[in-house]
Amino acid sequence: MMNHKVDTSPITGQKPGTSGLRKKTSVFMQEHYLENFVQAIWNGTGGAAGKTYVLGGDGRFFNDKAAQVVLRMAAASRAQRVIVGQNALLSTPAASNLIRKRGTDGGIILSASHNPGGPDEDFGIKFNAANGGPAPEDITTRIYSETQTISGYHILNTPDVDLTTPGIFQLGDMTIEVVDPVSAYGEMMEGLFDFDAIRALFASGFTMRFDAMHAVTGPYAKAILEKQLGAPAGTVINATPSPDFAGGHPDPNPIWAKTLMDEMMGLDAPDFGAASDGDGDRNMIVGRQCYVTPSDSLAVLAANARLVPAYADGLRGVARSMPTSAAVDRVAQHLNINSFETPTGWKYFGNLLDDGRATLCGEESAGTGSDHVREKDGLWAVLFWLNILAKIRKPVADVMSGHWTQFGRNYYSRHDYEAVDTVAAEALMSGLRIQLPDLAGKKMAELTITTADEFAYNDPVDGTRTEGQGLRFGFDNGARLVLRLSGTGTEGATLRVYLEQLETASNRLHHDPQIALAAVIAAAEALAGIRHRTGRDRPDVIT
Ligand code: G1P
Ligand code: ZN
């Protein structure tokens, strides 16, 4: 068994973004690219010697080969043990759970989340810390600086390890424990939710469609929904993970999960529909003829949390990313608990969860989760909804109407302009940034700006300050506009425009969001000149 030291030199651009390092698969497959980054993870976290890690991924193209590289490099750097999902598969929340449950030093997740997969699409790698959550910024900064000075990496020169069967194996001096990816996760879910009530719901004829989008949650959803909870076979569709997600875009929103949306809007729609993304941390919730925005979903979960055994004693607090709508804040106010506003990205929830300040967290980008793990969790959100519906036995549409009547409706939409010219996108942002101090009082289309600033976050637990987290504008009619550039794209820049307006009048709670938001959409265009600057006449994706 040869432990090789391979000479290498820094490769530019290995700076982790909102969620780990994401690049085109072909970039990751370049010589030394993955190896440099993995060595930088070890170097940036005090070395791998004696450490225990969790390893798994979403099954996309190159997942299997990358996992073998990570194993050979962990063994060469004298890690003690790696717990790896069978066939190198683990959903992101399942990996987070294993890190916590097994008390490991961290974990490596191979995923580009909801981005398409395949030789011409995207790949990604992310390091999670011992709390099970995405590495906080000080760690990602250290990893990045290691990538800039790296001169060599260690790797064993051995054949691939067989990961097809659970069991204990040796690679050099390192132990490899291949585990069933689903079982520990399924047990955790059973401990959180009222499975008997959900079983009774399905037994009563309640129908559901879960679209796994050819991604990693297929096996989890089949095992939990169909086997443990008795949903009829066929409830879970597109359940076999595929290296290129069958050519699709594994992002659970009305655009990419259109087949499910069409079924749910039809006359014979099931009672409940849901979908999850590439690595199983996102969720989409849809009732019969009733799409639930992620911001609203978070608010409904918070308002009904006491129906779930794990949260029966109430929530300690809630947290949402800044661009997420304030719907959950209104519930928090009613419950008399804190609502925290954090920068975009799950890593910012970690301290609030670890410190017991927040129990539920969510983002407008289809991410919802709680203190049960340190990642957002797609299937958990679906089970939370099922638990609520099992207890109150009302259609989703009635749940939403009731919620809006009680709390008001935060009309919400996000407009994305994808693969925009980077220079143009940055010019748009910096042009607005300079004007921020002078914008209050200015009229934009029909609305007048009342506040304009750039979001910065002071972490209340460790005092870390994070700046440059999105431009925020308030208007005289109560509407809010946020603009930021995506930190997960792999091509050009993605401009995200977040639009929100609260409505409390009972006769105006059921409008089309794009119409309810028309005034702020026009104000955004007047303010930022998006069409002119991006050369686009409409957003690529509206959610
Ligand atoms: C996007 C979402 C963000 C989420 C992240 C990882 O990041 O907007 O909420 O945490 O993906 O799933 P962005 O591309 O906006 O930086
Ligand atoms: Zn994801």
Side-chain angles (χ1 to χ4, degrees), residues 264-345:
M264 295 308 299
M265 295 304 139
L267 290 177
D268 306 326
D271 295 302
F272 186 62
S276 189
D277 73 329
D279 62 330
D281 57 357
R282 293 187 173 202
N283 72 88
M284 180 174 91
I285 300 295
V286 50
R288 181 184 292 138
Q289 282 124 38
C290 176
Y291 169 68
V292 182
T293 69
S295 295
D296 275 349
S297 175
L298 176 65
V300 169
L301 300 190
N304 295 282
R306 282 181 184 269
L307 299 175
V308 172
Y311 314 107
D313 294 339
L315 306 173
R316 280 191 286 261
V318 292
R320 62 167 174 86
S321 65
M322 182 276 285
T324 303
S325 97
V328 75
D329 299 9
R330 301 179 67 77
V331 176
Q333 202 172 12
H334 169 77
L335 297 173
N336 201 17
I337 55 175
N338 281 328
S339 180
F340 297 91
E341 188 178 41
T342 59
T344 297

Side-chain angles (χ1 to χ4, degrees), residues 27 50 74 154 163 187 205 210 235 335 405 453 484 503 506 523:
V27 172
H154 296 273
L163 301 176
E187 279 164 29
F210 181 95
T235 295
L335 297 173
T405 304
D453 69 358
R484 61 178 280 281
E503 179 59 73
S506 60

Side-chain angles (χ1 to χ4, degrees), residues 17-19 22 113-114 277 281-282 321 324 344-347 363-367 376 414 484-489 494 496 498:
T18 312
S19 184
R22 276 188 209 170
S113 186
H114 50 286
D277 73 329
D281 57 357
R282 293 187 173 202
S321 65
T324 303
T344 297
W346 207 260
K347 60 186 171 209
E363 294 193 277
E364 51 67 40
S365 54
K376 53 193 177 234
R414 187 177 95 188
R484 61 178 280 281
L485 297 182
S486 156
T488 57
T494 293
R496 303 204 193 284
Y498 308 83

Side-chain angles (χ1 to χ4, degrees), residues 136-151:
E137 225 160 56
D138 58 326
I139 300 185
T140 55
T141 305
R142 283 206 297 276
I143 294 172
Y144 177 49
S145 64
E146 291 293 338
T147 69
Q148 295 171 300
T149 53
I150 192 163
S151 61

Side-chain angles (χ1 to χ4, degrees), residues 357-381:
R357 298 192 193 207
T359 311
L360 287 195
C361 306
E363 294 193 277
E364 51 67 40
S365 54
T368 333
S370 85
D371 57 1
H372 69 291
V373 287
R374 291 295 180 275
E375 289 278 4
K376 53 193 177 234
D377 190 342
L379 207 44
W380 166 91

